[in-house]
Amino acid sequence: MNNINKIQVKYRPEIDGLRAFAVVAVIINHLNKEILQSGFLGVDIFFVISGYVITSSIFKRENKNFKEFIFSFYSRRIKRIIPALLVFVLIVSLITLLINNEPTLVLRTGISSLLGVSNLYLYKRSFGYFQESSQLNPFTNTWSLGVEEQFYFILPLLAWFSGFAKGGKNSEKVFFFIMVSISIISLFLFANIYSTNQPAAYFLMPMRIWEMGAGCITFLI
């Protein structure tokens, strides 16, 4: 476990390098699957990176009380995600209205992405990510952001009540045990549900926690 002082956790440029690698892999896969058939796994890599980074951000901050911790955590997430997402949704929605005679599905997906639930909306519509109807929806790619945002409702609570966010004695070991346990359950769900309900295994947060959990565990180790 990490026994280092919180102020020693610094910017890791290689993490951004891995992010870039993951994004490029996904883009290449979308442009031409024959070039990089497994490029979609860049999303899975991104989930692991997110788990690592978000755990790092919690670890290196001093928190006086729960209210301060939660406010700080979510204010940082909102500032990082919402401005760029809002601009993206507005621009793409306007373009959609100009060129799409039936924009309802696209616009509803865009709105749901602003609420952090586009993955739930796509699952409710029973769309697989690789179906043609999904690939023609410019907001389909926001499903992964929805998964992350829903994970953000769970992680800070686990971090605080395990004592990890407060820097309590043995809190890292407690948090490590919690994340390992949750990740194992999530992986078990994913493996068992994938064969019978692929959209659920793909879009829903409980079946994706193990990937972000892997990032959390990597940081703790």
Side-chain angles (χ1 to χ4, degrees):
M1 301 295 175
N2 291 312
N3 291 314
I4 56 178
N5 189 290
K6 293 190 176 188
I7 62 173
Q8 292 179 308
V9 180
K10 298 180 180 179
Y11 170 68
R12 301 285 297 275
E14 66 272 23
I15 297 297
D16 280 340
L18 284 173
R19 277 195 179 118
F21 173 81
V23 171
V24 170
V26 172
I27 292 174
I28 292 175
N29 178 260
H30 277 287
L31 291 176
N32 191 331
K33 294 179 182 178
E34 299 302 318
I35 297 177
L36 193 61
Q37 294 184 2
S38 298
F40 59 86
L41 292 176
V43 176
D44 302 86
I45 295 173
F46 212 92
F47 279 147
V48 176
I49 293 172
S50 293
Y52 183 98
V53 171
I54 201 67
T55 307
S56 170
S57 72
I58 293 174
F59 179 76
K60 67 182 180 180
R61 292 180 182 272
E62 299 289 345
N63 302 289
K64 297 179 181 179
N65 53 62
F66 181 72
K67 182 178 179 181
E68 179 185 274
F69 167 64
I70 289 295
F71 178 80
S72 174
F73 180 88
Y74 287 118
S75 63
R76 296 196 308 273
R77 301 282 77 72
I78 290 171
K79 290 177 183 178
R80 184 177 69 85
I81 295 172
I82 296 302
L85 179 62
L86 182 60
V87 171
F88 169 68
V89 170
L90 286 174
I91 293 175
V92 174
S93 295
L94 289 173
I95 295 173
T96 298
L97 288 171
L98 292 174
I99 65 175
N100 192 335
N101 293 326
E102 298 180 358
T104 303
L105 173 63
V106 174
L107 297 178
R108 285 180 177 176
T109 308
I111 293 171
S112 65
S113 72
L114 292 174
L115 301 174
V117 294
S118 59
N119 60 320
L120 300 180
Y121 176 73
L122 291 167
Y123 173 68
K124 183 179 179 181
R125 301 283 299 189
S126 297
F127 289 145
Y129 185 82
F130 299 102
Q131 291 179 358
E132 183 178 0
S133 56
S134 295
Q135 294 184 1
L136 294 176
N137 184 343
F139 294 123
T140 299
N141 62 344
T142 63
W143 75 270
S144 59
L145 185 59
V147 169
E148 283 193 53
E149 291 176 345
Q150 289 154 32
F151 180 65
Y152 292 159
F153 282 103
I154 296 175
L155 186 65
L157 297 178
L158 296 176
W160 181 263
F161 291 109
S162 68
F164 178 72
K166 296 180 284 187
K169 185 178 180 180
N170 296 322
S171 61
E172 291 175 42
K173 292 181 180 179
V174 174
F175 189 51
F176 176 83
F177 175 78
I178 291 172
M179 292 311 303
V180 168
S181 300
I182 290 176
S183 297
I184 290 173
I185 294 171
S186 174
L187 181 57
F188 177 81
L189 289 173
F190 176 84
N192 282 272
I193 292 175
Y194 187 84
S195 59
T196 58
N197 192 343
Q198 187 175 353
Y202 195 93
F203 284 122
L204 300 186
M205 185 268 292
M207 275 65 77
R208 291 288 187 169
I209 285 179
W210 66 274
E211 294 179 305
M212 292 170 284
C216 297
I217 293 165
T218 300
F219 175 81
L220 293 169
I221 293 176

